[in-house]
Coordinates of all heavy atoms in Angstrom, one line a residue:
V29 N 3.3 -3.7 0.3 CA 3.1 -3.8 -1.1 C 1.6 -3.5 -1.4 O 0.8 -4.4 -1.3 CB 3.5 -5.3 -1.6 CG1 3.3 -5.4 -3.1 CG2 4.9 -5.6 -1.2
P30 N 1.3 -2.3 -1.7 CA -0.1 -1.8 -1.6 C -1.0 -2.2 -2.7 O -2.2 -2.2 -2.6 CB 0.1 -0.3 -1.6 CG 1.4 0.0 -2.4 CD 2.2 -1.2 -2.0
K31 N -0.4 -2.6 -3.9 CA -1.2 -3.0 -5.0 C -0.9 -4.4 -5.4 O 0.3 -4.7 -5.8 CB -1.1 -2.0 -6.2 CG -2.0 -2.3 -7.3 CD -2.0 -1.2 -8.4 CE -2.9 -1.5 -9.5 NZ -2.9 -0.4 -10.5
F32 N -1.8 -5.3 -5.4 CA -1.6 -6.7 -5.7 C -0.5 -7.3 -4.8 O 0.6 -7.7 -5.2 CB -1.2 -7.0 -7.2 CG -2.2 -6.4 -8.1 CD1 -1.8 -5.6 -9.2 CD2 -3.6 -6.6 -8.0 CE1 -2.7 -5.0 -10.1 CE2 -4.5 -6.0 -8.8 CZ -4.1 -5.2 -9.9
S33 N -0.7 -7.2 -3.5 CA 0.3 -7.5 -2.5 C 0.9 -8.9 -2.7 O 0.3 -9.8 -3.2 CB -0.3 -7.4 -1.1 OG -1.3 -8.5 -0.9
N34 N 2.2 -8.9 -2.4 CA 3.0 -10.2 -2.4 C 2.8 -10.8 -1.0 O 3.3 -10.3 -0.1 CB 4.4 -9.8 -2.7 CG 5.3 -11.0 -2.8 OD1 4.9 -12.1 -2.4 ND2 6.6 -10.8 -3.2
P35 N 2.1 -12.0 -0.9 CA 1.7 -12.8 -2.0 C 0.1 -12.8 -2.3 O -0.3 -13.5 -3.2 CB 2.1 -14.2 -1.5 CG 1.8 -14.1 0.0 CD 2.2 -12.7 0.4
D36 N -0.7 -12.2 -1.4 CA -2.1 -12.4 -1.5 C -2.8 -11.7 -2.6 O -4.0 -12.0 -2.9 CB -2.8 -12.0 -0.2 CG -2.6 -13.0 1.0 OD1 -2.5 -14.2 0.6 OD2 -2.8 -12.6 2.1
G37 N -2.2 -10.8 -3.3 CA -2.8 -10.1 -4.4 C -3.8 -9.0 -4.0 O -4.7 -8.6 -4.8
I38 N -3.7 -8.6 -2.7 CA -4.7 -7.6 -2.2 C -4.3 -6.2 -2.6 O -3.2 -5.8 -2.7 CB -4.7 -7.7 -0.6 CG1 -5.4 -9.0 -0.2 CG2 -5.4 -6.5 0.0 CD1 -5.1 -9.4 1.2
V39 N -5.3 -5.4 -2.9 CA -5.2 -4.0 -3.2 C -5.7 -3.2 -2.0 O -6.8 -3.4 -1.6 CB -6.0 -3.5 -4.5 CG1 -5.7 -2.1 -4.7 CG2 -5.5 -4.4 -5.7
Y40 N -4.8 -2.3 -1.5 CA -5.2 -1.5 -0.3 C -6.4 -0.7 -0.6 O -6.4 0.0 -1.6 CB -4.1 -0.7 0.2 CG -2.9 -1.3 0.8 CD1 -2.7 -2.7 0.8 CD2 -1.9 -0.6 1.5 CE1 -1.6 -3.3 1.3 CE2 -0.8 -1.2 2.1 CZ -0.7 -2.6 2.0 OH 0.4 -3.2 2.6
S41 N -7.4 -0.7 0.3 CA -8.6 0.1 0.0 C -8.3 1.6 0.2 O -7.2 2.0 0.8 CB -9.7 -0.2 1.0 OG -9.3 0.1 2.4
D42 N -9.1 2.5 -0.2 CA -9.0 3.9 0.0 C -8.9 4.3 1.4 O -8.0 5.1 1.8 CB -10.2 4.7 -0.7 CG -10.1 4.7 -2.2 OD1 -9.2 4.1 -2.8 OD2 -11.1 5.2 -2.8
E43 N -9.7 3.7 2.2 CA -9.7 3.9 3.7 C -8.3 3.6 4.3 O -7.8 4.3 5.1 CB -10.8 3.2 4.4 CG -10.8 3.5 5.9 CD -11.8 2.6 6.7 OE1 -12.4 1.7 6.1 OE2 -11.8 2.8 7.9
T44 N -7.8 2.4 3.9 CA -6.4 2.0 4.4 C -5.4 3.0 4.0 O -4.5 3.4 4.9 CB -6.1 0.6 3.8 OG1 -7.1 -0.4 4.3 CG2 -4.7 0.2 4.2
V45 N -5.4 3.4 2.7 CA -4.4 4.4 2.3 C -4.5 5.7 3.1 O -3.5 6.3 3.6 CB -4.4 4.7 0.8 CG1 -3.5 5.8 0.4 CG2 -4.2 3.4 0.0
K46 N -5.7 6.2 3.3 CA -5.9 7.4 4.1 C -5.5 7.2 5.6 O -4.9 8.1 6.2 CB -7.5 7.8 4.1 CG -7.9 8.3 2.7 CD -9.4 8.5 2.7 CE -9.9 9.0 1.3 NZ -11.3 9.2 1.2
R47 N -5.7 6.0 6.1 CA -5.3 5.8 7.5 C -3.7 5.8 7.6 O -3.2 6.2 8.6 CB -5.9 4.5 8.0 CG -7.4 4.7 8.3 CD -8.1 3.4 8.7 NE -7.8 3.1 10.1 CZ -8.3 2.1 10.8 NH1 -9.2 1.3 10.1 NH2 -8.0 1.8 12.0
F48 N -3.1 5.3 6.6 CA -1.6 5.3 6.5 C -1.1 6.7 6.5 O -0.2 7.1 7.3 CB -1.0 4.6 5.3 CG -0.7 3.2 5.5 CD1 -1.4 2.1 5.0 CD2 0.4 2.9 6.3 CE1 -1.1 0.8 5.2 CE2 0.8 1.5 6.6 CZ 0.0 0.5 6.0
A49 N -1.8 7.6 5.7 CA -1.3 9.0 5.6 C -1.6 9.7 6.9 O -0.9 10.7 7.2 CB -2.1 9.7 4.4
A50 N -2.6 9.3 7.7 CA -2.9 10.0 8.9 C -2.2 9.4 10.1 O -2.6 9.8 11.3 CB -4.5 9.9 9.1
L51 N -1.3 8.5 10.0 CA -0.6 7.9 11.1 C 0.0 8.9 11.9 O 0.6 9.9 11.4 CB 0.4 6.8 10.6 CG -0.1 5.5 10.1 CD1 1.1 4.6 9.6 CD2 -0.9 4.7 11.2
K52 N 0.1 8.7 13.2 CA 0.7 9.6 14.2 C 1.8 8.8 14.9 O 1.6 8.4 16.1 CB -0.3 10.2 15.2 CG -1.4 11.0 14.5 CD -0.9 12.2 13.8 CE -2.0 13.0 13.2 NZ -1.6 14.2 12.4
P53 N 2.9 8.5 14.3 CA 3.9 7.6 14.9 C 4.6 8.3 16.1 O 4.8 9.6 16.1 CB 4.9 7.4 13.8 CG 4.7 8.5 12.8 CD 3.3 8.9 12.9
K54 N 4.9 7.6 17.1 CA 5.7 8.1 18.2 C 7.1 8.5 17.8 O 7.7 9.5 18.4 CB 5.7 7.1 19.4 CG 6.2 7.6 20.7 CD 5.9 6.7 21.8 CE 6.4 7.4 23.2 NZ 6.1 6.5 24.3
A55 N 7.7 7.8 16.9 CA 9.0 8.1 16.4 C 8.9 9.1 15.3 O 8.2 8.8 14.2 CB 9.7 6.8 15.9
D56 N 9.6 10.2 15.4 CA 9.6 11.1 14.3 C 10.4 10.7 13.0 O 10.3 11.4 12.0 CB 10.1 12.5 14.7 CG 11.5 12.5 15.2 OD1 12.2 11.5 15.1 OD2 12.0 13.6 15.6
D57 N 11.1 9.6 13.2 CA 11.9 9.1 12.0 C 11.2 7.8 11.5 O 11.9 7.0 10.9 CB 13.3 8.8 12.4 CG 13.6 8.0 13.6 OD1 12.6 7.7 14.3 OD2 14.7 7.7 14.0
F58 N 10.0 7.6 11.8 CA 9.2 6.5 11.3 C 8.9 6.7 9.8 O 8.6 7.8 9.3 CB 7.9 6.3 12.0 CG 6.9 5.3 11.4 CD1 7.0 4.0 11.7 CD2 5.9 5.8 10.5 CE1 6.1 3.1 11.1 CE2 5.1 4.8 9.9 CZ 5.2 3.5 10.2
R59 N 9.1 5.6 9.0 CA 8.9 5.7 7.6 C 8.1 4.5 7.0 O 8.2 3.4 7.5 CB 10.2 5.7 6.8 CG 11.1 6.9 7.1 CD 10.5 8.2 6.6 NE 11.3 9.4 6.7 CZ 11.2 10.2 7.7 NH1 10.2 10.0 8.7 NH2 11.9 11.3 7.9
I60 N 7.2 4.8 6.1 CA 6.4 3.8 5.4 C 7.2 3.4 4.1 O 7.4 4.2 3.2 CB 5.0 4.4 5.0 CG1 4.2 4.8 6.2 CG2 4.2 3.3 4.2 CD1 3.0 5.6 5.9
F61 N 7.5 2.1 4.0 CA 8.2 1.6 2.8 C 7.2 1.1 1.8 O 6.7 0.0 2.0 CB 9.3 0.6 3.2 CG 10.5 1.2 3.8 CD1 10.4 1.7 5.1 CD2 11.7 1.1 3.2 CE1 11.6 2.3 5.7 CE2 12.9 1.7 3.7 CZ 12.8 2.2 5.0
W62 N 6.8 1.9 0.9 CA 5.7 1.7 0.0 C 6.2 1.0 -1.3 O 6.5 1.7 -2.3 CB 5.0 3.0 -0.3 CG 3.6 3.1 -0.8 CD1 3.2 3.4 -2.0 CD2 2.4 2.9 0.0 NE1 1.8 3.4 -2.1 CE2 1.3 3.1 -0.9 CE3 2.2 2.5 1.3 CZ2 0.0 2.9 -0.4 CZ3 0.9 2.4 1.7 CH2 -0.2 2.6 0.9
D63 N 6.3 -0.3 -1.3 CA 6.9 -1.0 -2.5 C 5.8 -1.3 -3.5 O 5.2 -2.3 -3.5 CB 7.5 -2.3 -1.9 CG 8.2 -3.1 -3.0 OD1 8.3 -2.6 -4.2 OD2 8.7 -4.3 -2.7
N64 N 5.7 -0.3 -4.4 CA 4.6 -0.4 -5.4 C 5.1 -1.2 -6.6 O 5.0 -0.7 -7.8 CB 4.2 1.0 -5.8 CG 2.8 1.1 -6.3 OD1 2.1 0.1 -6.5 ND2 2.3 2.3 -6.6
A65 N 5.5 -2.4 -6.4 CA 6.1 -3.2 -7.4 C 5.2 -3.6 -8.6 O 5.6 -3.9 -9.7 CB 6.7 -4.5 -6.8
Y66 N 3.9 -3.7 -8.3 CA 2.9 -4.2 -9.3 C 1.9 -3.0 -9.7 O 0.7 -3.3 -10.0 CB 2.2 -5.4 -8.7 CG 3.1 -6.4 -8.3 CD1 3.4 -6.6 -6.9 CD2 3.9 -7.2 -9.2 CE1 4.3 -7.6 -6.5 CE2 4.8 -8.1 -8.8 CZ 5.0 -8.3 -7.4 OH 6.0 -9.2 -7.0
C67 N 2.4 -1.8 -9.8 CA 1.5 -0.7 -10.0 C 0.8 -0.7 -11.4 O -0.2 -0.1 -11.5 CB 2.3 0.6 -9.9 SG 3.7 0.8 -11.0
V68 N 1.3 -1.4 -12.4 CA 0.7 -1.5 -13.7 C 0.5 -3.0 -14.1 O 0.4 -3.3 -15.3 CB 1.5 -0.8 -14.8 CG1 1.4 0.8 -14.5 CG2 2.9 -1.2 -14.8
H69 N 0.3 -3.9 -13.1 CA 0.3 -5.3 -13.4 C -1.0 -5.9 -13.3 O -1.2 -7.0 -12.7 CB 1.4 -6.0 -12.5 CG 2.8 -5.6 -12.8 ND1 3.2 -4.3 -12.5 CD2 3.8 -6.3 -13.3 CE1 4.5 -4.3 -12.8 NE2 4.9 -5.4 -13.3
E70 N -2.0 -5.3 -13.9 CA -3.4 -5.9 -13.9 C -3.4 -7.1 -14.8 O -2.8 -7.1 -15.8 CB -4.4 -4.8 -14.4 CG -4.8 -3.8 -13.4 CD -3.8 -2.6 -13.4 OE1 -2.8 -2.6 -14.2 OE2 -4.1 -1.6 -12.7
L71 N -4.3 -8.1 -14.4 CA -4.5 -9.2 -15.3 C -5.8 -9.0 -16.1 O -5.9 -9.6 -17.2 CB -4.7 -10.5 -14.4 CG -3.4 -11.0 -13.8 CD1 -3.8 -12.2 -12.9 CD2 -2.5 -11.5 -14.9
Y72 N -6.7 -8.2 -15.6 CA -8.0 -7.9 -16.3 C -8.2 -6.4 -16.4 O -7.4 -5.8 -17.2 CB -9.1 -8.6 -15.4 CG -8.9 -10.1 -15.3 CD1 -8.3 -10.6 -14.1 CD2 -9.3 -11.0 -16.2 CE1 -8.2 -12.0 -14.0 CE2 -9.1 -12.3 -16.1 CZ -8.5 -12.8 -14.9 OH -8.3 -14.2 -14.8
E73 N -9.1 -5.9 -15.8 CA -9.4 -4.4 -16.0 C -8.5 -3.6 -15.1 O -8.0 -4.1 -14.1 CB -10.9 -4.2 -15.6 CG -11.3 -4.3 -14.2 CD -11.4 -5.8 -13.7 OE1 -11.6 -6.7 -14.7 OE2 -11.5 -6.0 -12.5
P74 N -8.4 -2.3 -15.4 CA -7.6 -1.4 -14.5 C -8.1 -1.4 -13.1 O -9.3 -1.5 -12.8 CB -7.8 0.0 -15.2 CG -8.1 -0.3 -16.6 CD -9.0 -1.6 -16.6

């Protein structure tokens, strides 16, 4: 849950997202389940 994670409310840093994109999984059928449930759910500023 990359933005306002459930439950800690953490937003993945740019470096974290880049490292996800650069993963080299041993399994060719590995998948990232990117549950962006709170993509527009800011409480304050964007």
Side-chain angles (χ1 to χ4, degrees):
V29 182
K31 187 172 180 181
F32 307 131
S33 66
N34 179 349
D36 280 338
I38 290 166
V39 180
Y40 289 12
S41 69
D42 289 359
E43 181 188 0
T44 294
V45 176
K46 289 176 181 179
R47 290 176 73 174
F48 265 111
L51 284 175
K52 302 295 182 186
K54 190 168 186 179
D56 63 1
D57 52 354
F58 171 83
R59 295 293 183 263
I60 300 166
F61 285 69
W62 201 252
D63 182 4
N64 205 354
Y66 306 105
C67 58
V68 290
H69 294 69
E70 285 88 352
L71 288 174
Y72 301 95
E73 69 282 346

